[in-house]
């Protein structure tokens, strides 16, 4: 690309954070170029026929409570560009032994009522969060170092969110089904349940299930990226694919450059330009466990023993609280446990566009130690069979991705880490550095806008939005 072509802003990487940053800048009538290494846009929101023609799988994200709940996405006319959220009847079902299952319904009251002895505890825990979810989301979807608009609300959330999942579960819930149900939601943190703040993710995901749901985009996650890209182009922005940035001098001149990349890649790209103290801080940035993912083409829906599972968008397959806790602990400690906690989505149950008539797809992954290339397929299928005998007979084709394959498809997935860095107490506070504006790279005009900045992993675009706001303040006002 000739260097003389100049833009107000260039964004490296077309994940949802890169696209969100570009849109926010283009909204201010700035000229914006997004460059993307892959031939298709979207990063963690891409879909493709991974198994067989006619079966549309999501390479990465599939279920989008954070997407539908994103304060920035909600202001954009994404429906006009083909984004339609589909809500499954139940956001989440968690099967247990003997055909029993715990169910998260849209209604908080109905969910609590199904939890037996834990009815009141669940309602008391989730009720205040659900009642104030918009205010609360606005607080935690930004850097932790900020003046809160709702300090009391945030303090109340903090009391529970700053606990370990094990402590919260042991203190609040007496038995199944509430204990494994909350454990499954906390399992999205990739943390040991003994570590803080592993409870936080469980609380946020539970709250979102009762407020905005856990929807899937019709046609697959790619539709989110495509709708964002279409809106960006409408605003005058440009996107170039097949453009891997390996040296800064490949980039056109710009007043602001935003990187939808993680610290490791930024170090490789900018090392000698960065002040040594910042380099050291980025060098200490930690990546979390990786994932092993299998996408299935099926000739029938999964034959769940419990029929509620067949009405859910997401199914958490892992058994009891103790089993899931042991699994997550071993993964963080670098071991490959026998019985994985499988996060499974069944898009074709509510979206006929995803598979040929009568056929189905399943999206399933489990956590593994960072960089592990152990093939978990057999163990994943054994777990699903445990709650859905006959599952294997439905499989027509499967597509596997280990940590290496993940990273090969998207350089941001370092060692298979899907969140752009570990979510632990240190990196909740310092992501990637401790600052009210952690998006700013200490080189004028350079910013980081990926999920390695607050509020972190997930498809919500808020990292991109805040990074663009910082660039607007510094470079364009
Ligand atoms: C298996 C899996 C399951 C997930 N499930 C969910 C889910 O259900 N719900 C949810 O909300 N989130 C989920 N996530 C997480 C979510 O996908 C990410 O948090 C989100 O995509 C992060 O967005 P981003 O813009 O920060 O980065 P990314 O989406 O990773 O985008 C980064 C982009 O930068 C590009 N890039 C990298 N290096 C270069 C370079 N040198 N030059 C040019 N371009 C470059 C990449 O190709 C990529 O397109 C999942 C992720 C994975 C992998």
């Amino acid at each position: 690309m000739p260097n003389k072509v100049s833009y107000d802003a260039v964004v490296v990487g077309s994940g949802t954070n890169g696209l969100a940053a570009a849109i926010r800048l283009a909204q201010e009538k700035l000229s914006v170029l997004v460059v993307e290494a892959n031939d298709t846009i979207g990063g963690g929101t891409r879909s493709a026929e991974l198994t067989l023609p006619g079966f549309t799988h999501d390479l990465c994200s599939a279920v989008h409570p954070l997407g539908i709940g994103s304060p920035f996405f909600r202001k954009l006319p994404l429906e006009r560009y083909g984004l339609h959220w589909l809500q499954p009847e139940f956001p989440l079902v968690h099967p247990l032994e003997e055909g029993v299952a715990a169910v998260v319904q849209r209604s908080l009251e109905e969910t609590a009522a199904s939890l037996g002895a834990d009815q009141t505890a669940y309602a008391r825990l989730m009720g205040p969060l659900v009642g104030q979810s918009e205010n609360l989301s606005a607080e935690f979807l930004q850097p932790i170092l900020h003046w809160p608009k709702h300090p009391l609300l945030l303090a109340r959330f903090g009391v529970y969110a700053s606990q370990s999942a094990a402590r919260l579960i042991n203190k609040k819930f007496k038995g199944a089904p509430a204990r494994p149900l909350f454990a499954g939601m906390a399992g999205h943190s990739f943390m040991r349940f003994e570590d803080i703040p592993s409870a936080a993710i469980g609380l946020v995901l539970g709250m979102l299930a009762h407020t905005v749901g856990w929807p899937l985009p019709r046609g697959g996650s790619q539709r989110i990226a495509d709708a964002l890209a279409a809106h960006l182009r409408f605003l005058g922005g440009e996107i170039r694919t097949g453009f891997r940035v390996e040296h800064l001098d490949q980039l056109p001149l710009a007043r602001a450059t935003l990187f939808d990349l993680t610290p490791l890649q930024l170090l490789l790209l900018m090392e000698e330009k960065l002040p040594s103290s910042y380099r050291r801080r980025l060098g200490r940035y930690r990546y979390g466990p990786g994932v092993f993912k299998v996408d299935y083409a099926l000739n029938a829906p999964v034959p769940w023993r419990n029929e509620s599972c067949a009405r859910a968008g997401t199914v958490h397959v892992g058994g009891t609280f103790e089993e899931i806790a042991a699994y997550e602990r071993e993964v963080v400690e670098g071991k490959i446990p026998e019985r994985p906690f499988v996060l499974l989505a069944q898009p074709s149950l509510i979206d006929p566009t995803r598979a040929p008539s009568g056929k189905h797809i399943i999206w399933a992954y489990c956590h593994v130690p960072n960089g592990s290339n152990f093939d978990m397929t057999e163990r994943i299928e054994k777990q699903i069979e445990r709650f859905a005998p006959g599952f294997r007979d439905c499989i027509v084709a499967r597509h596997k991705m280990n940590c290496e394959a993940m990273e090969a498809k998207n350089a941001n997935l370092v060692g298979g880490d899907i969140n752009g860095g570990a979510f632990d107490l240190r990196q909740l506070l310092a992501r990637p550095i401790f600052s009210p504006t952690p998006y700013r790279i200490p080189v004028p005009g350079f910013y980081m806008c990926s999920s390695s900045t607050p509020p972190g992993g997930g498809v919500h675009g808020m990292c991109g939005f805040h990074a663009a706001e910082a660039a607007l303040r510094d470079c364009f006002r």
Side-chain angles (χ1 to χ4, degrees):
M1 173 174 298
N3 246 355
K4 46 186 184 294
V5 182
S6 72
Y7 291 84
D8 289 319
V10 170
V11 178
V12 178
S14 71
T16 39
N17 282 313
L19 292 170
I23 288 173
R24 181 66 198 97
L25 294 163
Q27 284 174 333
E28 298 299 318
K29 310 222 177 319
L30 300 174
S31 59
V32 184
L33 171 71
V34 177
V35 295
E36 165 56 49
N38 280 304
D39 292 334
T40 52
I41 59 156
T45 47
R46 281 175 295 160
S47 310
E49 292 181 336
L50 295 175
T51 54
L52 296 169
F55 293 81
T56 306
H57 302 274
D58 290 324
L59 271 76
C60 299
S61 68
V63 185
H64 293 283
L66 296 164
I68 193 173
S70 161
F72 184 55
F73 289 175
R74 283 161 86 159
K75 288 195 193 129
L76 305 177
L78 299 179
E79 284 223 342
R80 194 190 296 162
Y81 303 108
L83 178 61
H84 297 289
W85 297 113
L86 300 175
Q87 295 279 4
E89 182 182 355
F90 299 142
L92 166 68
V93 174
H94 189 126
L96 298 160
E97 295 298 351
E98 289 157 20
V100 175
V103 181
V104 174
Q105 306 186 40
R106 291 297 304 277
S107 153
L108 169 66
E109 294 72 26
E110 284 172 40
T111 304
S114 71
L115 297 178
D118 290 314
Q119 172 172 4
T120 310
Y122 186 85
R124 281 207 184 131
L125 179 67
M126 301 306 298
L129 309 184
V130 169
Q132 291 281 344
S133 76
E134 281 206 15
N135 291 336
L136 201 51
S137 300
E139 294 292 354
F140 60 69
L141 289 173
Q142 59 174 309
I144 201 139
L145 212 55
H146 71 277
W147 289 111
K149 278 196 184 140
H150 309 92
L152 291 179
L153 177 65
L154 197 59
R156 184 179 181 146
F157 173 67
V159 167
Y160 295 120
S162 60
Q163 297 184 19
S164 72
R167 184 178 152 83
L168 188 73
I169 289 169
N170 286 329
K171 224 167 66 181
K172 290 278 165 200
F173 301 128
K174 296 186 183 68
R179 287 165 67 86
L181 193 65
F182 193 85
M185 293 195 284
H188 287 253
S189 69
F190 283 77
M191 293 179 75
R192 272 189 293 237
F193 285 0
E194 296 79 18
D195 294 340
I196 55 173
S198 50
I201 298 288
L203 289 169
V204 170
L205 290 178
M207 175 187 87
L208 292 174
H210 298 307
T211 51
V212 294
W214 286 19
L216 293 86
R218 188 169 73 205
S221 285
Q222 184 74 52
R223 297 292 177 91
I224 303 174
D226 289 351
L228 289 167
H231 186 51
L232 174 64
R233 290 189 179 107
F234 170 78
L235 295 171
E238 294 173 39
I239 302 176
R240 297 208 193 147
T241 53
F243 188 113
R244 182 175 299 280
V245 180
E246 277 158 353
H247 308 282
L248 287 185
D249 54 17
Q250 285 174 271
L251 291 173
L253 298 172
R255 285 162 74 190
T257 305
L258 292 85
F259 296 98
D260 187 8
L261 307 179
T262 80
L264 182 71
Q265 297 138 283
L266 197 75
L267 277 171
L268 292 172
L269 257 182
M270 288 192 69
E271 180 127 40
E272 71 284 9
K273 267 188 171 280
L274 300 172
S276 57
S277 63
Y278 186 73
R279 246 183 0 232
R280 269 199 307 279
R281 285 197 278 175
L282 287 196
R284 286 198 293 269
Y285 192 77
R286 287 184 50 249
Y287 291 88
V291 300
F292 185 92
K293 179 164 182 279
V294 193
D295 287 283
Y296 294 97
L298 306 179
N299 60 18
V302 180
W304 298 108
R305 199 176 266 139
N306 182 289
E307 63 89 34
S308 297
C309 297
R311 295 151 69 187
T314 303
V315 184
H316 282 165
V317 184
T320 64
F321 157 62
E322 288 75 15
E323 283 178 274
I324 300 171
Y327 180 75
E328 295 301 330
R329 186 184 317 117
E330 288 187 48
V331 166
V332 172
E333 289 167 2
K335 299 174 193 149
I336 312 265
E338 196 59 42
R339 287 179 152 196
F341 167 48
V342 182
L343 299 96
L344 183 151
Q346 12 191 38
S348 52
L349 288 184
I350 53 166
D351 183 357
T353 71
R354 302 294 295 272
S357 175
K359 312 280 189 231
H360 287 275
I361 55 165
I362 289 294
W363 166 102
Y365 74 86
C366 65
H367 303 159
V368 291
N370 190 284
S372 162
N373 283 332
F374 187 88
D375 188 337
M376 294 294 284
T377 312
E378 175 63 27
R379 294 179 188 194
I380 287 177
E381 287 175 12
K382 224 166 144 185
Q383 278 290 63
I384 302 174
E385 278 278 335
R386 190 176 150 200
F387 301 101
F391 167 67
R392 280 202 179 102
D393 301 335
C394 305
I395 301 171
V396 184
R398 50 169 86 70
H399 176 273
K400 309 174 189 184
M401 279 189 282
N402 60 20
C403 294
E404 198 177 294
M406 285 278 164
E407 197 171 336
K409 287 205 188 306
N410 177 354
N412 280 29
L413 306 177
V414 178
D417 176 339
I418 72 171
N419 285 320
F423 174 81
D424 55 19
L425 189 57
R426 196 176 98 193
Q427 292 187 178
L428 178 71
L429 301 170
R431 195 170 184 92
I433 57 163
F434 186 63
S435 159
T437 319
Y439 312 96
R440 221 178 253 142
I441 293 168
V443 175
F446 285 81
Y447 301 84
M448 198 187 297
C449 68
S450 71
S451 59
S452 305
T453 62
V459 172
H460 44 63
M462 294 307 293
C463 314
F465 170 79
H466 290 301
E469 288 288 328
L472 286 170
R473 280 195 302 274
D474 294 350
C475 309
F476 300 103
R477 281 184 186 146

